[in-house]
């Protein structure tokens, strides 16, 4: 898990205001019957030890996944 930055904001996981880490982790998903590994960006809450994707991250992570898929079938 690589920390990119941290932002003080209302965290939607624990519903408290605190420094939320923006992190990059290697994610694994099955896409079109193929297992792909790709870097994904998440918000990390240390109170709940859970990850959260906002709308922009969902979009970027899905692009990153398709990118990894396309590279893997070449
Ligand atoms: Zn939190």
């Amino acid at each position: 898990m690589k920390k990119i930055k941290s932002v003080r904001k209302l965290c939607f996981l624990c519903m408290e205001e605190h420094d939320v880490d923006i992190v990059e982790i290697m994610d694994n998903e099955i896409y079109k019957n193929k297992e792909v590994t790709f870097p994904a960006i998440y918000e990390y809450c240390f109170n709940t030890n859970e990850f959260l994707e906002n709308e922009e991250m969902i979009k970027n992570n899905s692009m990153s996944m398709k990118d990894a898929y396309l590279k893997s079938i070449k």
Side-chain angles (χ1 to χ4, degrees):
M1 180 160 104
K2 194 171 84 186
K3 183 173 155 182
I4 296 167
K5 60 176 178 180
S6 73
V7 185
R8 188 158 190 95
K9 57 183 281 183
L10 176 69
C11 171
F12 290 111
L13 285 166
C14 64
M15 296 316 282
E16 276 177 46
E17 193 184 310
H18 65 79
D19 287 334
V20 174
D21 284 350
I22 311 297
V23 296
E24 184 185 288
I25 55 172
M26 290 312 282
D27 221 344
N28 255 307
E29 293 222 25
I30 305 291
Y31 182 67
K32 294 188 180 174
N33 287 322
K34 196 163 174 51
E35 190 181 359
V36 286
T37 307
F38 56 97
I41 308 290
Y42 288 98
E43 289 182 353
Y44 173 67
C45 168
F46 49 79
N47 284 333
T48 59
N49 195 27
E50 280 185 53
F51 295 96
L52 182 76
E53 279 178 301
N54 65 29
E55 237 172 276
E56 194 193 332
M57 287 165 179
I58 291 171
K59 239 183 272 169
N60 287 338
N61 291 345
S62 135
M63 260 170 23
S64 175
M65 179 186 73
K66 284 168 191 161
D67 212 47
Y69 170 76
L70 289 175
K71 276 180 195 152
S72 76
I73 57 171
K74 263 180 199 163

